[in-house]
């Protein structure tokens, strides 16, 4: 980490534009970040700012190891990875839910407890494991990296644990959410050492962001 430069990790994908808009509203220079570019790093030398563009699942690692001072990442990723980072502000966008979903026919008239000793497909094995342990259920967890909905269709698993926003993908694949695990939104996170050493830069930004989020909640 450069001593007087604030390095911010931004997630590619659905959280990207809203994260940039929020930082711009908080008074940071975001010039060039929304251009159609494959650049992964942007320097704003006059403002002593640097942005790095990362896969969302990599952001906790970049922040934990100090390659970024702060970053924006979903609560789902924070919980699954359990990295040693500071969670500063709930940004209230990027809303999604962790759910357990079953094929419609299998779920009809049955309780989740009846699916003990079954197989669960998920991209989030830590979240799934903690949930079923808390329920007192023993399941076999199968980690996949995508197309989780396919697993029950081909007999790979009996149910899935996944994040959903509208639930459309579940419906289109004849799956139904039978239990909600927890809700997730985007969070502002920080490296612990950076937060201490660059407190005079990070804390005013945190306060501005927190106020902006609060104002939006009141407005809507």
């Amino acid at each position: 980490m450069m001593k007087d430069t604030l390095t911010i990790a931004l997630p590619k994908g659905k959280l990207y534009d809203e994260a940039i808009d929020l930082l711009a509203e908080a008074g940071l220079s975001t010039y060039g970040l929304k251009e159609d570019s494959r650049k992964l790093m942007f320097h704003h030398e006059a403002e002593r700012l640097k942005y790095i563009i990362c896969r969302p699942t990599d952001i906790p690692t970049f922040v934990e190891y100090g390659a970024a001072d702060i970053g924006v990442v979903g609560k789902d990723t924070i919980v699954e990875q359990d990295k040693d980072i500071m969670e500063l502000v709930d940004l209230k966008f990027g809303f999604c839910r962790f759910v357990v979903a079953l094929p419609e026919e299998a779920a009809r008239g049955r309780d989740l407890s009846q699916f003990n000793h079954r197989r669960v497909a998920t991209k989030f094995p830590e979240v799934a494991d903690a949930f079923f342990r808390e329920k007192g259920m023993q399941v076999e967890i199968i980690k996949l990296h995508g197309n989780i909905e396919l697993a029950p269709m081909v007999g790979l698993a009996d149910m899935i644990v996944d994040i959903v926003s509208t639930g459309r993908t579940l419906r289109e694949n004849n799956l139904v959410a039978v239990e909600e695990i927890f809700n997730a939104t985007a969070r502002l996170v920080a490296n612990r050492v950076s937060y201490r050493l660059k407190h005079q830069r990070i804390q005013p930004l945190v306060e501005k962001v927190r106020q902006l989020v609060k104002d939006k909640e009141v407005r809507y």
Side-chain angles (χ1 to χ4, degrees):
M1 289 176 290
M2 292 179 66
K3 197 168 183 181
D4 32 356
T5 296
L6 186 67
T7 301
I8 303 175
L10 295 175
K12 294 179 180 177
K14 65 180 183 178
L15 300 180
Y16 185 72
D17 284 346
E18 286 188 85
I20 293 169
D21 290 343
L22 185 62
L23 293 176
E25 286 182 68
L28 297 188
S29 171
T30 58
Y31 177 77
L33 289 174
K34 284 195 176 183
E35 292 179 1
D36 187 12
S37 168
R38 296 194 179 189
K39 284 180 65 176
L40 299 176
M41 190 179 296
F42 294 83
H43 291 267
H44 292 235
E45 293 182 11
E47 294 84 7
R48 293 177 295 130
L49 270 177
K50 181 168 71 176
Y51 295 98
I52 57 175
I53 316 303
C54 315
R55 287 175 63 100
T57 50
D58 288 337
I59 284 185
T61 301
F62 276 83
V63 173
E64 181 185 38
Y65 284 92
D69 299 305
I70 61 175
V72 174
V73 64
K75 179 69 172 178
D76 51 310
T77 302
I78 294 171
V79 173
E80 176 62 26
Q81 296 188 11
D82 194 27
K83 299 287 188 183
D84 185 22
I85 57 179
M86 297 179 67
E87 189 177 320
L88 302 176
V89 187
D90 180 350
L91 302 178
K92 306 290 187 182
F93 62 78
F95 176 82
C96 59
R97 298 173 294 133
F98 267 108
V99 300
V100 182
L102 290 162
E104 285 181 5
E105 285 189 20
R108 198 168 292 128
R110 301 174 76 183
D111 186 78
L112 183 61
S113 62
Q114 295 176 263
F115 290 84
N116 203 14
H117 303 288
R118 301 291 186 92
R119 288 183 295 188
V120 182
T122 185
K123 290 182 282 189
F124 304 94
E126 297 301 323
V127 170
D129 182 64
F131 171 76
F132 284 107
R133 280 178 185 274
E134 192 175 309
K135 298 280 285 187
M137 295 176 65
Q138 292 183 327
V139 297
E140 181 183 354
I141 295 173
I142 300 171
K143 182 173 182 180
L144 296 176
H145 295 278
N147 302 118
I148 307 299
E149 299 80 14
L150 188 60
M153 296 166 65
V154 299
L156 177 62
D158 302 283
M159 51 189 160
I160 67 171
V161 168
D162 205 5
I163 50 173
V164 300
S165 49
T166 65
R168 178 181 172 183
T169 304
L170 293 182
R171 291 191 297 272
E172 289 181 348
N173 289 281
N174 300 312
L175 294 166
V176 58
V178 294
E179 192 116 10
E180 190 168 299
I181 301 176
F182 66 84
N183 295 336
T185 48
R187 308 296 165 103
L188 184 68
V189 297
N191 173 273
R192 293 189 181 277
V193 175
S194 295
Y195 186 72
R196 188 173 71 251
L197 296 180
K198 300 184 180 182
H199 191 265
Q200 289 184 327
R201 291 204 68 190
I202 294 174
Q203 190 55 33
L205 175 61
V206 168
E207 290 169 7
K208 284 181 185 176
V209 167
R210 190 175 284 134
Q211 188 60 51
L212 284 166
V213 171
K214 186 177 178 181
D215 289 347
K216 286 181 181 180
E217 281 190 296
V218 170
R219 203 178 310 145
Y220 297 112

